Each structure stands twice: as structure tokens, then as C-alpha cells.
Amino acid sequence: MGVSESVGGGVARVDRVVAVWCPDWPAVAAAAMVGAAADRPIAVLRGNRVVACSAIARAEGVRRGMRRRDAQGCCPELVVAQDDPDRDARLFEPVAGAVDETVPGVEVLRPGLVVLGARGAARFFGSEEAAAERLIDAVAAAGAEAQIGIADAVSTAVIAARRGSIVAPGAGARYLAALPVAELAAEPSLAAPERADLVDLLRRLGLRRVGDFARLSPAEVASRFGADAVLAHRTARALPERPPSARRPAPELNVELACDPPIDRVDAAAFAGRQLSTRLHAVLSAAGVACTRLAVTARTETGEELTRIWRCARPLTPSDTADRVRWQLDGWLTRRARPTGPIVALILEPVEVVAAAALQLGLWGGEGAETERARRALVRVQGLLGGEAVRIGVLSGGRGPAERITMIALGDELTPAADPTHPWPGRLPEPAPTLLLLHRPTVHLTAADGAPVAVTARGLFTADPTQLRWGSRQWSLLGWAGPWPVTERWWSTAEHSTLAIRVQVQLDADPTEIRAVLLVFDEAHWHAEGVYE
């Protein structure tokens, strides 16, 4: 299948995404398993209802959600197969491998759909259009058909792949605007199960196009709909749902299983996958995180390493992880080009993690019921007072305590202003103040003779401080830590460079009062920046 013309125009962006979509993959895999001819209509059933069907079956009137009897009434020659995720994953592995050999770095969203970065592919093949043609040829050589979508965001690229479109940089929102709002729920790997109910509600409200929904403000969406609607609204605006992790998770989260005896059978691989998944989630739980992108690696007796990355819309549960490990190992062990030897080691690596609150289970089995109730209350406040009325603190990079917190409106992407994992020379050491004083009141630090204490050009006290006066209150000092000078933009002109010196002082105060204060010295005055209680 070809690639259509690029859509729209705009300013170039760096982080482009390629989506490779094999249409009706469950039906394709089922047809390959039963040996059905390419011109035979086929449908895949789950619970006596159609969950997937081929294009030929659709031409005869078969649709997803139909009962088996109705589908066979529309198409008497219909070939019927039962839903089998293991089969779909096993037969898709050669296709994913072909894509990965053409452009490394494939992430599997589900069997039949993978995404990868577009920048390297476009540079290697000369253009995004050339890269798309090469990927289509690679999939065709693996025995399948594919359509390619390229855009700035994963969800936009996946929607574009269903139409074989390359969306120009910056034109994602304009491309999506004219599409039916049902497109927001078309891809199950990027939408929660309740997305279909949201789409039905939007239609009844008269919002029949993606652009109609996108024109609502984030505050209106957050105050009138659920949490999944906020994610759907970001998709409608062509914003990234979950940007790549700013830091790679610590290697301590990886789990490895030495296979003794080596694994060369699918049933043994499934057992090892369940065992390793349980260990992984115990490690993730202890670290307070949940996994959203998982790398499955198998090492063989001959030293060969096979790796595949799975990307998920929601944090993985232990059963989700076990399923993906089983699917992947099944695909490797049953493909034509089998590994060069038995598998001697399995490694699970969380490539991207989120806070474990994203998978907090309620007392009676609900998923974050208490958190969801609190969120509904907050979005109600947000709807009454405006989008910026409710903000969440996110750990950020910086040297002072105020700089290390980025306040973000509820519902927006929790992206800090600066990367907290970068080195920050001169950063205030632990512990952090329990209370920050944003207005930074002026205080007076004095020596034993009553003389004011300042700081020299070398960052040292002019005299040992003994007392702190704050308004009408005065305390003797039991000790201090510092001073710590911080010079920022020292390479710039004097107007733009800044010098701040911080010191922690311990007060001789009643245990019920303030015990310590964080002071900052700038412009020849001392200011209280935070207190320790």
C-alpha cells in the first residue's frame, strides 16, 4: 500500500513518530493459522461477538460488535475463528523483527501496531516518505500489509497510519480537527475502556468532530468529564500523551532470571515469564513506581541477545507483564529464524516508569477509588475558579528550594521546568525546609558585639554569627551550616549574573517554635527563605 501526500504545513519539530499499522491483524493472524485463502472473508470472535474482521468481510456487511449469527447471516461463507492474543503476538513477531531490522528502536503497542522514532530513519533514508516506503516493503517481505503514519505525537501518528498519511510538523491539530470524534477511541492500546462512553457522550452533546472537542479549554474538560477525557483532549489537540522519560530508570529495577535448564519450549518460557514478572513487580512496588514501557531481553547459549520493547497506555499489572513476556518468547521460539541456541537468561528492564499512584488499588479492588474521588473534587474546584486554581507540585531541577518545585495546573502534563537529574553545583543540601517563604522577609544576622554579619567576596562570614533578629523577635544561635555561595550566569554581563549565598542557622528556641531557618544573602541584606519546624 502506498503513502499519501503530506498533510498541512508548519514549523519543523525534532521528535517525530512513525506508526506502522497492519490492518485487521487478529483476522490476518487467524487466517494464517487456519490456512484460509486471501479472498475468504474471516471474523474473529470473543464471547460470541465479532472483535475483528477482514476487509472482505466488512464489504459483506460484517461489523465489530455483531453477534455470530448476525455476522454469518450477512456473509454465509464467513470463516470464524476465536480470539487468541497468544496467536496474534506469536505471528506478529516476524513483522516486528522486520521493522526493527529496517529501523532500530521499535516499540510494540500491541500485535499489529508498532511505533518508532522518525528522525534517524528520515536522515538515513533521505526523507520521511522514503523511510515510509522502506518500512512498507520490509513488512511486505515478512508476509503482511502495512500502512504508515508519521506525526509529532504517538496518537496522531497512529490515527494517521489508519489513513496512510504523513502529517507535516506542527500540523497535527489541524489534521485531526476534521476527523470524526470516534477516532479518539479507535485504537485500544492508546485509549482506556471507558473512552467509548466518552465518545458517545460527546456525540450527544453535538461535538461530532475532533476539532469541536479540541476547541474546549482544558479547564472545561477537566471540570465536566473524567480523567480519561483530559487525556483524550490532549490527543485531540495533538499534544504528546506521555513524553519520553527524562531519565532512564535505575538499573536496580532490572530483574534477570538464569534459565537452568535452558529454555527451548514455549510452555517453559511461559512459566519463566510469570516467575520473572512477579519478581519485577515486587521490585517496582518497593521503589514506589509502575512500568509503562518494558524491554524484554533473551540471551542464548551462543551469546545472541534478542530485545523487544513494549509500550502501554496504562501502567502494567503483573498479569499484563506476564502476558507480554509470554507473547514475546512465544514469537521468538516459534518463528522461522529461531534463536541460535536455547535461552539461558531472561531480563526485564523497565524503560519508562511512573509514580505507583498511577496503579494504586483501592481496598475493595477498585483502581485508585479514593484518588479518583479526590480528583473529581479538585476538578470541580478547577471548573469553578479556573484552570490555574488547582496546581500540583513537581520535583524540578535547581539550586534553591523554591527552584526545585514546578507548579503545574491539574490536568496538564507533569513536566518540570528543569531536569532534576542533572547536576546542580551549589544545590542546597538536605534536609529541605518544611515551609518556603516566597516573599522572603528581611532579617538581621549579628555577631557577639552586635555588629551586622555580612559575607566576603570569598563567600565567608565577616564574623561568627550569634544572634538572629526577625521583626520584633530575637533568638540566639546554637549553630549554623554554610555559607554556600551560588553564582549563576557568571559568564554573562554583570546585569544578568546573580550571586546568592545561603546558610542554615539553628535557633535556641522553644521546641514548639521554629527550630531552624534557611537564610539567603543578596544585595547586602539577609532574607529568610525557609523555616524548619
Side-chain angles (χ1 to χ4, degrees), residues 155-222:
S155 59
T156 309
V158 170
I159 293 173
R162 293 175 175 271
R163 291 161 174 78
S165 300
I166 298 179
V167 183
R174 188 162 68 253
Y175 172 77
L176 296 174
L179 300 181
V181 73
E183 290 292 335
L184 299 177
E187 178 47 53
S189 64
L190 296 176
E194 60 267 23
R195 185 68 62 84
D197 295 335
L198 172 66
V199 168
D200 181 63
L201 176 59
L202 294 177
R203 282 172 172 165
R204 287 186 280 115
L205 292 174
L207 305 175
R208 301 185 179 275
R209 300 289 175 184
V210 174
D212 299 334
F213 183 45
R215 279 191 287 273
L216 297 179
S217 70
E220 290 172 331
V221 174

Side-chain angles (χ1 to χ4, degrees), residues 360-375:
Q360 182 67 39
L361 297 180
L363 180 61
W364 307 112
E367 186 167 324
E370 294 294 337
T371 302
E372 184 60 25
R373 282 199 294 270
R375 183 180 181 86

Side-chain angles (χ1 to χ4, degrees), residues 9 57 67 83 94 99 134 137 167 213 215 324 326 344 356 379 396 406 453 464 487:
R67 293 185 180 274
D83 184 38
V99 175
R134 286 297 189 95
D137 293 342
V167 183
F213 183 45
R215 279 191 287 273
R324 282 157 177 78
R326 185 180 75 253
V344 297
V379 298
S396 181
T406 301
V453 175
D464 289 345
T487 303

Side-chain angles (χ1 to χ4, degrees), residues 75-89:
C75 183
E77 64 275 17
L78 184 68
V79 177
V80 174
Q82 292 301 313
D83 184 38
D84 186 355
D86 292 358
R87 174 198 63 212
D88 299 345

Side-chain angles (χ1 to χ4, degrees), residues 92-124:
F92 185 66
E93 173 54 30
V95 177
V99 175
D100 197 39
E101 289 177 2
T102 306
V103 181
V106 165
E107 293 183 12
V108 182
L109 293 181
R110 60 167 175 83
L113 178 62
V114 299
V115 294
L116 56 146
R119 182 182 181 187
R123 293 178 63 182
F124 184 80

